[in-house]
Amino acid sequence: MTNEPAVSASNFIREAVEEDLRISRFDHVQTRFPPEPNGYLHIGHAKAICIDFGIAEAFGGKCNLRFDDTNPVKEETEYVDAIKEDIRWLGYDWGDQELFASDYFETLYGYAVELIKKGKAYVDDLSADQIKEYRGTLTEPGKESPYRNRSVEENLDIFDRMRRGEFPEGACVLRAKIDMAASNINMRDPTMYRILHASHHRTGSKWCIYPMYDFAHGQSDSMEGVTHSLCDLAYEDHRPLYNWFIEELGIFKTRQIEFARLNVTYTILSKRFLKQLVSENLVRGWDDPRMPTLCAMRRRGYPAQAIRNFIDQVGVAKNENLIDISLLEFNVRNLLNKTASRVLAVLNPIKVVITNYPKGQVEELEAVNNPEDPSAGTRTLQFSRELYIERDDFREVPPPKYFRLSPGREVRLRYGYIIKCEDFVKNQKTGEIEEIHCTYDPQTRGGYALDGRKVQGTIHWVSAVHAVEAEVRMYDRLFTIQNPNKVEEDKSYLDYVSPDSLKVLTGCRVEPSLANVKPGQQFQFERKGFFCVDLDTKPGQLIFNLTVPLRDTWAKIESK
RNA sequence: UGGGGCAUGGUGCAACGGCAGCACACCAGACUUUGGAUCUGAGGAUCUUGGUUCGAAUCCAGGUGCCCCAGCCA
């Protein structure tokens, strides 16, 4: 792999794996990433992916991609394809090990029969409600189902008929016979199979009984020779059951290790909630750049490597965590700073007329493409009498420490000239500044003050006649509070969706070198931020996404 | 009130009986033709109470707090 490793630092999982190898519990390392194809991957999955593939890679092992597709009513091929694309984009490769739990349905069925024969599983005719009732509570033991002691023959017969479709959904389930008084509720005769007369995205109508997660996951791991099954802390309570099935079946013993899932400030990483944002049109889709999904981050211009670096820095532990989104943004900036070409783009234009500049004259000026990377070369900028600058870069009454343009003051136009504001036109009704009149100093071509005079401010600009129009989509955090997962009792995370998360700017003016860019291309709009060309861009209709803004020291000063 | 898990600066992660360190964030300064980047510096943490020890974030005991578990979801 050519990418830098994610999860490079030592952590408790690496230590555990090292120990397993040292004591010869295993002589190699095999992991797996097991998504359920019922939604799109998000930044939380990225952590799991980096850990699963990263651990394998670190120990010279392999990582399988296995779709955990045991619930046909929720799963779709569309998601399978999207998930594969996202993992590949992150930079990981599962070789030919693209596997599906549904490929194991026949084997799993055989395992179930085996357990029935051992007297370790039975068909229960209790209704879902009754099973729930019989399960007991967190503090009281459950009680045994009246069907718990059916004969092996009867169980075998009914289970076979379940498979053949003789019963409607909910009529019965196959349960493991463990211990209804177990302190761990997962051990109170968990359901192994349920009846679902649903078409499966891969097996079609071949099956009408489907294994539950607990009866599918561990055995799938085992069949694949997975040595280390790394998963969410949520499955800690399931480990005894995971081990129980493997033990009773006498199959290859894998080791499950759990780690804390990722949480990020100002965002939500629950599939259910993300689905809701999409279905209620609070965002424009799964790949809306405000979403924490990988496809959204890709569309927004977050480099995959930046995400991997972020995951690496987040670390791996068992503590519940809430990572500051600024760490992700730092990584995005850090990477883009080295790679993105600089361009001049005016997001909120106001016209500047250089009154002493000859009408009709056009000069060509040289601009550096990337000060961080001399090999990126230079390009040419057109300068003329009428320009656009950023509305923010002019103040009729400049506040203290404001270095930009204001009446009587000088400012440098990047790569251009030093200009002085002589006058401005104000709409008397609205109070809006409509035009600024300046003079330029012809001795300062390129922006150099040969007389040594100090000009504090440098602003960006475009030539009015040469500039190209564009739409720019400015994104901000989707939620107004740090942790939308924890809200006041009578509130929902939906109450905290930010009304300002998307601002569409039209009539922006960008330098002409951007006229023919392609979706996905990334740039730094100087002094503004990193932007990328959106998928919606068509010939003659430029659309940019704000990837991440530049740090804005002035905004900080001004807000004080 | 059952079971499982976790407690280190604002947020994360390290330190594995021997000077509590790193990153992000925050603050101050230098530099600057991006108020970007870069550079320098500062502040700020071991949940609590006991015990073991020459020495405890680390080991032991008791408290406290937080998270997860009662799907025919994964």
Side-chain angles (χ1 to χ4, degrees), chain A residues 392-407 409 554 557-560:
Chain A
D392 277 355
D393 288 340
F394 174 81
R395 288 290 181 87
E396 183 178 353
V397 182
K401 295 196 178 163
Y402 185 82
F403 302 152
R404 286 112 95 150
L405 203 59
S406 56
R409 296 230 293 223
W554 167 244
I557 294 169
E558 205 183 20
S559 68
K560 280 178 191 164

Side-chain angles (χ1 to χ4, degrees), chain A residues 225-245:
Chain A
V226 166
T227 56
H228 299 271
S229 182
L230 312 176
C231 64
D232 197 289
L233 246 28
Y235 296 98
E236 232 161 0
D237 288 346
H238 292 249
R239 183 162 16 100
L241 180 55
Y242 178 105
N243 291 334
W244 189 88
F245 282 126

Side-chain angles (χ1 to χ4, degrees), chain A residues 160-388:
Chain A
D160 176 57
R161 286 158 57 199
M162 278 170 69
R163 175 181 186 167
R164 287 200 309 240
E166 287 190 25
F167 308 109
E169 288 185 13
C172 48
V173 293
L174 184 72
R175 299 177 72 177
K177 192 191 282 190
I178 307 180
D179 177 8
M180 288 309 290
S183 51
N184 180 344
I185 289 184
N186 293 302
M187 301 300 272
R188 317 238 264 232
D189 289 11
T191 303
M192 293 163 60
Y193 270 91
R194 76 286 214 192
I195 298 170
L196 250 26
H197 291 282
S199 176
H200 185 277
H201 72 111
R202 297 190 78 243
T203 60
S205 58
K206 182 174 180 196
W207 294 88
C208 61
I209 57 171
Y210 292 91
M212 298 286 290
Y213 165 86
D214 284 311
F215 191 65
H217 201 96
Q219 291 92 297
S220 299
D221 283 344
S222 182
M223 282 183 244
E224 292 176 11
V226 166
T227 56
H228 299 271
S229 182
L230 312 176
C231 64
D232 197 289
L233 246 28
Y235 296 98
E236 232 161 0
D237 288 346
H238 292 249
R239 183 162 16 100
L241 180 55
Y242 178 105
N243 291 334
W244 189 88
F245 282 126
I246 287 177
E247 189 72 36
E248 291 297 331
L249 259 10
I251 54 181
F252 177 71
K253 285 183 184 163
T254 82
R255 172 155 38 168
Q256 174 176 302
I257 301 176
E258 312 86 7
F259 59 88
R261 68 190 310 155
L262 174 69
N263 294 292
V264 181
T265 56
Y266 298 103
T267 189
I268 210 147
L269 295 179
S270 137
K271 257 186 215 177
R272 205 185 105 230
F273 291 164
L274 293 178
K275 262 186 174 145
Q276 195 177 8
L277 290 173
V278 174
S279 64
E280 296 192 10
N281 295 314
L282 268 4
V283 294
R284 295 177 170 186
W286 284 99
D287 68 344
D288 184 304
R290 291 168 291 181
M291 293 280 276
T293 50
L294 297 178
C295 54
M297 292 185 174
R298 179 164 63 240
R299 181 170 185 173
R300 182 160 174 170
Y302 283 19
Q305 186 63 57
I307 291 173
R308 292 165 59 121
N309 293 345
F310 166 72
I311 296 299
D312 192 21
Q313 289 164 24
V314 152
V316 182
K318 299 185 78 158
N319 302 334
E320 192 195 359
N321 59 76
L322 182 59
I323 308 293
D324 197 329
I325 185 80
S326 63
L327 181 62
L328 211 207
E329 294 171 342
F330 163 80
N331 278 287
V332 172
R333 284 193 196 100
N334 202 28
L335 201 69
L336 255 20
N337 182 47
K338 296 172 202 140
T339 57
S341 285
R342 272 63 173 174
V343 292
L344 303 187
V346 177
L347 270 24
N348 190 8
I350 181 169
K351 185 170 275 186
V352 170
V353 180
I354 314 288
T355 54
N356 61 340
Y357 195 85
K359 284 182 183 167
Q361 179 173 308
V362 176
E363 278 181 273
E364 302 216 312
L365 303 164
E366 188 180 56
V368 172
N369 285 332
N370 187 347
E372 305 288 324
D373 176 15
S375 73
T378 61
R379 69 188 185 287
T380 300
L381 257 26
Q382 288 80 30
F383 188 89
S384 65
R385 182 179 151 96
E386 295 197 356
L387 314 171
Y388 288 110

